[in-house]
């Protein structure tokens, strides 16, 4: 993807999911909030980090550890906004919501995209696997938890989100297997960056 | 492995763990419900002095009840689920209070958060389902929508339309100390606990 297209896509994404009053529509439902708005905000950041930020230079000193740190930063940021109380706070308070939107783009998406294009295949596989298990754990939590996790949402939405999370896990699993089967061995960070730019 | 990478890794670990620690009150409160209960116990908060009226339309003030412990709940009278259970819980509480030495020192107050629909007549109707209002159990509303919201915000009650004309709300029993401060929030079915806490405040 060219830098220009990535920037246009990011602007488009943010206009749709991050700008009030549209953002409120996404946040009116637990499923839309968790499974569409938050992932799309992260995606906007990923595009910035992977296609707009400087690309890894082939042959330069590997930045595996920095890349891993960046992905870890993204994981912490996503975990924070998955705490039910902060999801609630974002719904009830526009200030918190603004922090959520900015941090998910800049502290989750950007480092994830920046780190992902620098990580080697093993590390990528590990991250992918973690994402699947995270989706399964969250799916199980939301599907089985009897009490309300979020005061702002109906308890009846929780099992729906749980099932959708299982769907996400299955989707990630299928895509992961497909990438391994199709991408026949030459999926190193350098090769990926060469084809992508 | 390089120095800069390791430093950034450690920094991320430290900051990330600190953020999660801060955001969950030291890994104790993951939901808004737990968070508000902890917060209230740690720093009791005065309820706003809003103008209330009872089932007769007579003005009531929470100040009138100062010196007494108040067990308070928020309901809307059309509610068919949790508020009914809360009503029964409070009816039992009233029985226990009137049979004990707490009579006159602990007062039950039911507040409607739906003043638009719940006028004095609806409050009286709701009260009569549980044996009617008396000195030990008051039924009130804040006629001004703004003041209702003020009360709800202080107690961190979230009211969400349920899509069928009713509401979903995080029901609980609110324990107000003799100085008029909200000091505890307990589960809506934990009347024994609420009474124990009330006893401790007298």
């Amino acid at each position: 993807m060219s830098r220009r297209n990535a920037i246009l896509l990011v602007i488009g994404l943010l206009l749709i999911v991050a700008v009030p009053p549209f953002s409120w529509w996404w946040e009116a439902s637990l499923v839309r909030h968790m499974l569409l708005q938050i992932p799309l905000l992260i995606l906007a950041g990923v595009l910035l980090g992977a296609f707009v930020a400087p690309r890894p230079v082939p042959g330069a000193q590997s930045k595996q550890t920095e890349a891993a740190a960046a992905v870890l930063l993204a994981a912490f940021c996503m975990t924070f906004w998955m705490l039910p109380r902060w999801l609630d706070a974002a719904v009830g308070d526009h200030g918190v919501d603004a922090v959520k939107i900015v941090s998910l783009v800049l502290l989750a998406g950007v480092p994830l995209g920046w780190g992902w294009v620098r990580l080697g295949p093993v590390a990528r596989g590990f991250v992918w696997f973690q994402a699947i298990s995270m989706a399964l754990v969250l799916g199980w939590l939301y599907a089985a938890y009897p009490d309300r996790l979020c005061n702002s949402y109906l308890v009846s939405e929780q099992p729906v989100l749980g099932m959708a999370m299982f769907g996400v896990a299955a989707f990630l699993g299928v895509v992961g297997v497909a990438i391994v089967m199709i991408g026949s061995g030459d999926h190193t960070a350098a090769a990926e960056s060469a084809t992508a730019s | 492995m390089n120095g800069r990478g390791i430093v950034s890794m450690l920094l991320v670990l430290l900051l990330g763990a600190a953020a999660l620690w801060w955001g969950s009150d030291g890994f104790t409160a993951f939901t808004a419900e737990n968070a508000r209960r902890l917060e209230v116990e740690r720093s009791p908060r005065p309820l706003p002095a809003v103008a209330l009226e009872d089932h007769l339309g007579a003005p009531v003030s929470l100040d009138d009840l100062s010196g007494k412990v108040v067990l308070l709940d928020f309901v809307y009278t059309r509610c068919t689920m949790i508020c009914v259970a809360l009503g029964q819980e409070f009816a039992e509480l009233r029985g226990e209070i009137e049979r004990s030495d707490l009579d006159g020192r602990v007062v039950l107050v039911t507040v409607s958060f739906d003043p638009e629909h719940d006028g004095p007549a609806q409050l009286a109707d709701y009260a009569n389902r549980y044996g009617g209002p008396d000195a030990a159990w008051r039924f009130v509303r804040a006629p001004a929508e703004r003041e209702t919201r003020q009360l709800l915000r202080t107690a961190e009650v979230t009211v969400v339309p349920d899509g069928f004309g009713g509401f979903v709300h995080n029901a609980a029993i609110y324990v107000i100390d003799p100085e008029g401060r909200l000091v505890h929030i307990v589960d809506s079915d934990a009347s024994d606990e609420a009474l124990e806490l009330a006893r401790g405040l007298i």
Side-chain angles (χ1 to χ4, degrees), chain B residues 108-143:
Chain B
L108 303 177
V109 175
T110 290
V111 184
S112 166
F113 59 70
D114 185 17
E116 205 180 317
H117 177 271
D118 292 341
Q122 283 76 22
L123 286 176
D125 188 49
Y126 178 84
N128 287 330
R129 282 189 246 161
Y130 304 103
D134 63 10
W137 190 1
R138 319 280 180 88
F139 297 81
V140 302
R141 66 173 192 146

Side-chain angles (χ1 to χ4, degrees), chain A residues 61-66 68-70 72-74 76 79-80 83-86 88-89 145 148-155, chain B residues 1-2 4-6 8-9 12-13 16-17 19-20 22-25 29-33 35 158 160-162 168-170:
Chain A
Q61 191 197 16
S62 162
K63 290 195 169 172
Q64 287 287 306
T65 322
E66 276 103 325
L72 190 67
L73 173 64
F76 271 120
T79 307
F80 184 89
L83 297 178
R85 65 182 281 192
W86 288 105
D88 256 338
Y145 200 75
R148 266 166 103 199
L149 284 162
C150 288
N151 286 341
S152 310
Y153 294 115
L154 308 183
V155 71
Chain B
M1 287 282 170
N2 58 61
R4 240 180 70 185
I6 291 168
S8 26
M9 188 64 117
V12 166
L13 274 173
L20 289 181
W22 173 81
S24 63
D25 282 299
F30 296 97
T31 62
E33 190 56 36
T158 310
V160 196
D162 68 1
V168 173
H169 53 110
N170 46 338

Side-chain angles (χ1 to χ4, degrees), chain A residues 58 75 92 110 155 164 170 185 193:
Chain A
V110 170
V155 71
S193 72

Side-chain angles (χ1 to χ4, degrees), chain B residues 13 16 33-34 39 45 55 76 93 98 106-107 109 111 116 121 135 147 183 186 196:
Chain B
L13 274 173
E33 190 56 36
N34 281 337
E39 183 62 32
R45 50 181 84 155
H55 62 288
Y76 68 106
L93 265 177
E98 286 176 342
V106 178
V107 180
V109 175
V111 184
E116 205 180 317
E147 299 202 322
V183 284
V186 300
E196 242 359 86

